[in-house]
Amino acid sequence: MRPPLGPAFSTQLLLWFDAHQRALPWRGAPSPYAVWVSEVMLQQTRVESARHYYERFMQRFPDVAALAQADEQDVLQHWAGLGYYARARNLHRAAQIVSREHSGKIPDDPTRFASLPGCGPYITAAVQSIAFGAPLAAVDGNVKRVLARLDADPFPVNHTRAHRHYLPRAQELLSPHRPGDHNQAMMELGALICTPRNPDCPRCPVAAFCTARAQDTAHRLPVREKKQRAPLRHFVSVILVHRRRYLLFQRPAKGLLGGLWEFPSTERTAQETAQEACARYVHALTGHSGAVPQHATQLQHAYTHFRLHIDVYYCPVPSRALQAPTQLPHRWLPLDDVADFPLSSVNQKILRWAQQHNARP
DNA sequence: AAGCCGGGGAT
DNA sequence: ATCCCAGGCTT
């Protein structure tokens, strides 16, 4: 049996939030557009990671019209390094829809807003409650953790149906008077007090309502399903140079790192060394068989579903002709111009290496 | 329902 | 090394 909470819970929560919330760039009477941009950036992304990107993005695209008119490459350029690039592409498309079909005004109707690309249940509840006062509970990773502890609920928070499971409880607790602040307060509580490890129960404003606190089991909640470890894959990236110009490819519009640019790269098979893979790739790319790739550096990186080991090579070639036209857009660029293209985090590291070594190993 | 999609900070 | 974050889309 759950303790009867009623409005007492949100009263205590909001008192704490009013006194202890962090000063963040998207707080303090933000425009609906500012709320939207911040919520999209904060998906699966910590506040401190998104903060700088948010400031820069809002300076460059201050309103829906500015974003709608922008070139997608410009939008990606301001997102490069933040990850989950479909967020940027969807936000850009959504801004164009708002501009064309809603006279530039962000819909204050949850159903219409939810039909925009990138606007799922969480974004919709967050934006509609914070910007327009709609009484919709926003359920993210923080909220699920807080609720799991509040009720000592063993339902795994990373289960496919976790959102469906925790939403009714979140909705029942939601303050009808200040739904936007209540939603932010739940997330702020999860970020500052009810943290994944070592929750600070003595300083929790709603500890009196918490079943896990009463049972002293907060440190063992929430329950989480095991997931298998990401496999390791080996890639070779090559800094291909012809007369101080560097070859860059653009990745396909969809899928991993969609629309971003990168130094040429290929996956290494188990049967070849990195050096052999690089020579094989350069030959396939340029037809030039006498290439002697020089090892530049190694990088490690982790994506959600696999880990990456990358050997980076430096390889001058005698011609700019490409043998097998890869269908993918490419450019031969002066090193100083490469940074003007949206690069993934890994390729930003490769670029920095090239700059530091002045293009020579 | 399960898989795909980034990156970094905390532990 | 592992976890996990202001999740949504595709299949």
Side-chain angles (χ1 to χ4, degrees), chain A residues 10-342:
Chain A
S10 69
T11 298
Q12 294 307 313
L13 180 68
L14 287 167
L15 276 173
W16 171 83
F17 183 64
D18 290 338
H20 297 288
Q21 65 172 292
R22 291 169 288 182
L24 298 173
W26 46 84
R27 286 189 174 153
S31 68
Y33 172 74
V35 174
W36 187 14
V37 171
S38 69
E39 292 300 342
V40 174
M41 276 198 178
L42 289 165
Q43 282 179 55
Q44 299 296 102
T45 307
R46 286 186 166 67
V47 163
E48 285 316 313
S49 301
R51 193 176 193 139
H52 168 253
Y53 284 88
Y54 172 84
E55 309 260 25
R56 203 166 49 117
F57 193 92
M58 290 300 285
Q59 276 210 352
R60 173 63 186 84
F61 313 109
D63 50 40
V64 172
L67 182 57
Q69 289 163 16
D71 186 81
E72 183 183 281
Q73 282 291 301
D74 196 6
V75 178
L76 280 177
Q77 172 72 14
H78 285 76
W79 211 275
L82 194 54
Y84 284 135
Y85 300 96
R87 294 184 296 175
R89 301 194 300 268
N90 286 333
L91 182 62
H92 183 224
R93 277 204 297 140
Q96 293 178 331
I97 294 172
V98 169
S99 197
R100 279 202 315 271
E101 303 177 16
H102 301 275
S103 310
K105 190 178 173 307
I106 296 172
D108 57 4
D109 171 57
T111 305
R112 289 209 176 109
F113 182 83
S115 73
L116 296 168
C119 297
Y122 168 77
I123 295 283
T124 298
V127 172
Q128 294 293 314
S129 67
I130 297 170
F132 303 119
L136 301 174
V139 176
D140 74 330
N142 286 307
V143 173
K144 282 183 284 189
R145 181 173 61 255
V146 169
L147 293 178
R149 286 174 176 156
L150 184 70
D151 297 331
D153 190 331
F155 196 97
V157 291
N158 60 342
H159 190 281
T160 306
R161 286 173 1 203
H163 182 269
R164 190 191 314 175
H165 176 84
Y166 286 103
L167 180 61
R169 182 58 161 157
Q171 192 62 44
E172 157 188 321
L173 292 171
L174 183 68
S175 162
H177 306 107
R178 299 173 60 189
D181 286 340
H182 178 108
N183 281 330
Q184 293 188 76
M186 289 288 278
M187 296 185 275
E188 195 80 339
L189 187 70
L192 299 182
I193 304 286
C194 197
T195 50
R197 278 169 285 222
N198 303 320
D200 194 359
C201 300
R203 291 178 52 196
C204 179
V206 291
F209 307 101
C210 184
T211 302
R213 171 63 166 157
Q215 301 173 343
D216 196 26
T217 55
H219 60 288
R220 288 196 279 110
L221 289 167
V223 172
R224 181 167 289 278
E225 287 182 322
K226 288 293 179 200
K227 51 187 172 189
Q228 61 192 23
R229 212 164 72 102
L232 180 63
R233 296 168 66 177
H234 295 266
F235 275 76
V236 167
S237 287
V238 53
I239 302 169
L240 218 53
V241 195
H242 176 256
R243 296 179 59 178
R244 306 193 70 80
R245 284 177 179 267
Y246 295 74
L247 180 60
L248 240 60
F249 280 120
Q250 184 180 29
R251 298 179 60 92
K254 294 187 175 183
L256 184 69
L257 308 173
L260 271 66
W261 294 72
E262 65 186 10
F263 292 96
S265 73
T266 186
E267 185 159 13
R268 172 167 77 80
T269 69
Q271 286 74 34
E272 59 188 352
T273 65
Q275 175 91 28
E276 289 165 352
C278 187
R280 181 252 307 157
Y281 182 54
V282 170
H283 177 64
L285 217 49
T286 66
H288 178 51
S289 56
V292 185
Q294 300 166 262
H295 193 261
T297 185
Q298 292 186 336
L299 297 172
Q300 315 265 4
H301 198 74
Y303 293 107
T304 309
H305 292 280
F306 60 93
R307 294 171 298 138
L308 215 50
H309 177 100
I310 305 165
D311 283 288
V312 183
Y313 284 84
Y314 172 86
C315 186
V317 289
S319 158
R320 268 179 222 174
L322 292 186
Q323 195 75 345
T326 58
Q327 319 296 65
L328 292 179
H330 70 276
R331 300 276 167 76
W332 290 93
L333 297 166
L335 197 54
D336 289 340
D337 292 358
V338 173
D340 296 335
F341 288 72

